[in-house]
């Protein structure tokens, strides 16, 4: 079966499902059967392009189909190509349907989560059903096929969670071998995190979701073995740690509001002197008048999402340089280079270790156009933090960050015994 024929078949099936949706009440059972048929086609294709070109449109249609169906109709439908599981969540049951695509270089998990009501504080919409669709790459978290029912100790399985915790997940089971090879941690947390990232979600819903996310992150970071846990399953949350994961672990995430404002949140855990400490990060960006100067704390934090860690020492004291970003406010993006250090239970953000000509900074903040992209990376070969030089198109626009962008030259900070020494006009052609 060639790719063009297969794509034509699936497109026809998708069009049929869309037509059936216009008369869902009479045809829901058959429509669900057609969704099952499409999964069978997707499961058997070896063509990466065909799969990628087809699956996104099909997911959008199938999400609407599951939303239109009743829970009883979904439960009674004979959909053999889907795996399924019901998860008790708070005062509801979530129906999860999933399938696994094995033929791609990186196997894909596609799953649908249908809730009997919307997780929203708005009483008018609270009782309306909601459906979410997710795609995950499962290759990095695959379990050993030879160990039936095995669970990866490094995954967030939730088995040692406190009884009062609301963290929930589900097992993905191979329909052929019956082996469990992937664990999706906390499906409801995933839904709330999607709500925080979606700029079209109302303020009141975001506040509701944020409260739930913070509660669950508190639960998670209260685990005694949090330093050992792999948190990659928490999408929309970026987790970093020191190279050996023995000193600290930090998770950060962003809330994007409909008016293009943002707020940042997170948790940090660290071990010192044989004790374990946990702090919630409180974004006080609006209160920090000079963001590039001063030592800050978890309770007064220049919020950002951190994606890289560079350990270094100055005068035998250990520091960690963090590379981070702030989401666009509609006009401006921001990159942050932060310094993290610890002293017993105290967590400090910032240190006067950025040496820029005759000035000294505790952290660096770079702002530029929301339409531009900025390169910033650490080059281990030359122990230098390399970044695009940002400039406006005209000297008349100096200081108006929404016009700044890369100008094809490069600046950087070289790591020295005194800290990070500024260097301009870097040659990075090698």
């Amino acid at each position: 079966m060639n790719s063009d024929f297969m794509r034509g078949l699936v497109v026809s099936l998708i069009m049929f499902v869309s037509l059936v949706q216009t008369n869902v009440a009479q045809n829901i059972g058959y429509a669900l059967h057609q969704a099952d048929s499409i999964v069978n086609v997707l499961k058997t294709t070896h063509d990466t392009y065909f799969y990628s070109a087809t699956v996104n449109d099909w997911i959008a249609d199938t999400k609407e189909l599951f939303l239109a169906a009743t829970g009883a109709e979904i439960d009674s439908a004979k959909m053999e190509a889907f795996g399924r599981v019901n998860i008790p969540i708070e005062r509801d049951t979530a129906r999860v349907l999933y399938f696994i695509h094995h033929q791609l270089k990186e196997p894909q998990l596609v799953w649908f989560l249908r809730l009997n009501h919307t997780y929203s504080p708005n009483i008018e919409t609270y009782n309306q059903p909601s459906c979410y669709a997710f795609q995950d790459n499962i290759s990095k978290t695959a379990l050993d096929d030879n160990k039936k029912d095995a669970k990866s100790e490094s995954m967030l399985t939730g088995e040692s969670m406190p009884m009062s915790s609301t963290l929930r997940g589900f097992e993905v089971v191979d329909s052929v071998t019956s082996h469990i090879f992937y664990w999706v941690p906390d499906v409801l947390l995933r839904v709330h995190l999607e709500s925080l990232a979606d700029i079209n979600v109302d303020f009141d819903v975001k506040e509701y979701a944020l409260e739930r996310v913070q509660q669950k992150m508190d639960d998670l970071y209260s685990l005694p073995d949090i330093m050992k846990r792999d948190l990659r399953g928490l999408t929309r949350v970026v987790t970093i740690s020191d190279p050996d994961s023995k000193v600290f672990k930090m998770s950060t995430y962003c809330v994007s509001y409909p008016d293009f404002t943002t707020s940042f949140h997170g948790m940090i855990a660290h071990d010192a002197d044989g004790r374990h400490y946990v702090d919630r990060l409180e974004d006080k960006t609006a209160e920090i008048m000079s963001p590039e100067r001063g030592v800050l704390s978890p309770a007064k934090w220049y919020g950002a999402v951190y994606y890289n860690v560079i350990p270094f020492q100055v005068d035998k004291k250990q520091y960690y340089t963090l590379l981070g970003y702030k989401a666009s406010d509609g006009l401006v993006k921001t990159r942050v280079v932060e310094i993290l250090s610890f002293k017993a239970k105290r967590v400090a953000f910032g240190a006067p270790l950025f040496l820029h000509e005759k000035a000294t900074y505790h952290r660096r903040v770079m702002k530029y156009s929301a339409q531009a992209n900025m390169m910033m990376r650490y080059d281990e070969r030359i122990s230098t933090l390399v970044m695009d030089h940002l400039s406006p198109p005209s000297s008349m626009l100096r200081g108006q960050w929404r016009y700044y962008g890369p100008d094809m030259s490069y600046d950087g900070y070289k790591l020295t015994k005194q800290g990070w020494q500024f260097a301009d006009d870097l040659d990075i052609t090698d």
Side-chain angles (χ1 to χ4, degrees):
M1 188 180 296
N2 62 45
S3 297
D4 291 339
F5 176 79
M6 290 174 65
R7 178 155 178 76
L9 173 62
V10 173
V11 168
S12 298
L13 288 170
I14 290 174
M15 290 178 65
F16 177 81
V17 169
S18 298
L19 289 172
V20 169
Q21 285 179 318
T22 63
N23 195 13
V24 166
Q26 297 180 11
N27 300 287
I28 191 69
Y30 194 61
L32 290 171
H33 175 73
Q34 293 302 314
D36 193 57
S37 299
I38 297 173
V39 173
N40 275 320
V41 174
L42 292 173
K43 278 187 171 182
T44 56
T45 181
H46 293 256
D47 188 325
T48 302
Y49 172 77
F50 165 76
Y51 177 87
S52 299
T54 303
V55 72
N56 288 328
D57 288 340
W58 173 77
I59 286 174
D61 286 336
T62 304
K63 176 181 171 182
E64 293 302 314
L65 182 61
F66 288 143
L67 181 61
T70 66
E73 287 170 333
I74 293 174
D75 290 342
S76 62
K78 295 181 179 180
M79 294 183 289
E80 297 176 357
F82 282 94
R84 65 174 69 201
V85 65
N86 288 345
I87 306 171
I89 296 178
E90 294 180 1
R91 51 193 173 276
D92 193 11
T93 296
R95 289 171 173 82
V96 178
L97 297 97
Y98 62 88
F99 77 92
I100 307 151
H101 189 287
H102 290 282
Q103 306 299 334
L104 299 177
K105 292 181 180 179
E106 297 182 334
Q108 301 292 307
L109 167 67
V110 179
W111 54 284
F112 301 87
L113 171 70
R114 187 186 186 280
L115 297 167
N116 288 343
H117 59 76
T118 301
Y119 277 82
S120 162
N122 186 337
I123 195 65
E124 294 180 358
T125 61
Y126 188 84
N127 292 318
Q128 297 298 316
S130 54
C131 185
Y132 303 84
F134 301 100
Q135 296 185 66
D136 290 300
N137 183 319
I138 63 177
S139 61
K140 292 183 180 179
T141 53
L143 303 183
D144 186 350
D145 262 356
N146 296 321
K147 296 180 180 178
K148 187 176 181 179
D149 295 336
K151 292 184 176 69
S152 169
E153 291 298 323
S154 65
M155 290 297 293
L156 175 58
T157 63
E159 293 195 329
S160 60
M161 293 299 298
M163 292 297 292
S164 61
S165 172
T166 56
L167 289 170
R168 302 276 184 163
F170 71 93
E171 298 165 341
V172 175
V173 183
D174 190 303
S175 60
V176 177
T177 66
S178 297
H179 291 173
I180 299 169
F181 67 95
Y182 187 75
W183 178 265
V184 178
D186 199 333
V187 293
L188 187 54
L189 179 56
R190 184 83 170 259
V191 169
H192 291 324
L193 287 167
E194 291 295 321
S195 295
L196 296 184
D198 188 348
I199 198 170
N200 297 310
V201 173
D202 291 341
F203 285 92
D204 55 351
V205 178
K206 284 189 182 290
E207 291 306 308
Y208 177 89
L210 179 59
E211 181 181 342
R212 298 303 184 273
V213 169
Q214 289 178 322
Q215 176 189 350
K216 291 191 174 207
M217 294 300 288
D218 286 341
D219 286 343
L220 182 57
Y221 268 74
S222 69
L223 295 175
D225 61 345
I226 182 60
M227 303 293 283
K228 299 178 181 178
R229 290 184 177 257
D230 184 342
L231 305 185
R232 284 176 298 180
L234 298 180
T235 56
R236 304 289 187 180
V237 175
V238 181
T239 299
I240 60 172
S241 64
D242 59 287
D244 298 321
S245 297
K246 294 181 179 180
V247 178
F248 80 94
K249 183 183 290 289
M250 177 163 46
S251 297
T252 50
Y253 54 98
C254 176
V255 182
S256 298
Y257 293 97
D259 63 355
F260 291 98
T261 58
T262 56
S263 66
F264 295 84
H265 306 268
M267 301 291 294
I268 183 168
H270 77 282
D271 292 337
D273 302 327
R275 299 186 63 181
H276 183 68
Y277 303 94
V278 177
D279 290 281
R280 184 186 281 190
L281 302 177
E282 304 288 347
D283 184 8
K284 302 296 183 181
T285 296
E287 300 176 13
I288 301 171
M289 297 297 101
S290 300
E292 294 192 308
R293 302 186 187 277
V295 177
L296 303 175
S297 68
K300 187 178 181 180
W301 170 55
Y302 189 71
V305 172
Y306 302 119
Y307 59 88
N308 200 7
V309 182
I310 307 163
F312 70 104
Q313 290 187 346
V314 173
D315 294 332
K316 297 184 179 180
K317 181 176 180 180
Q318 184 66 52
Y319 296 94
Y320 302 92
T321 298
L322 312 178
L323 306 186
Y325 67 89
K326 285 179 172 288
S328 168
D329 63 3
L331 297 175
V332 174
K333 294 178 183 176
T334 305
R335 291 290 187 117
V336 180
V337 188
E338 183 66 270
I339 292 180
L340 175 68
S341 62
F342 305 94
K343 185 176 181 181
K345 68 177 182 180
R346 180 172 176 265
V347 179
F349 289 98
L353 298 176
F354 291 100
L355 313 175
H356 191 120
E357 298 175 350
K358 295 182 179 181
T360 301
Y361 300 94
H362 287 74
R363 66 189 54 79
R364 293 315 322 259
V365 177
M366 284 74 71
K367 297 185 178 184
Y368 56 101
S369 170
Q371 307 304 314
N373 290 312
M374 178 188 181
M375 181 275 293
M376 185 168 67
R377 61 180 174 83
Y378 180 61
D379 190 330
E380 293 185 10
R381 300 172 306 163
I382 55 176
S383 300
T384 301
L385 181 60
V386 180
M387 63 191 75
D388 282 315
H389 177 78
L390 302 173
S391 63
S394 166
S395 59
M396 296 178 62
L397 299 174
R398 191 172 305 278
Q400 298 187 46
W401 309 118
R402 60 178 176 170
Y403 297 109
Y404 275 57
D407 62 4
M408 303 303 290
S409 64
Y410 304 94
D411 294 335
Y413 283 90
K414 185 173 181 61
L415 190 56
T416 70
K417 293 181 179 180
Q418 290 75 42
W420 293 100
Q421 178 65 56
F422 178 74
D424 60 358
D425 201 19
L426 292 175
D427 183 357
I428 61 170
T429 56
D430 290 338

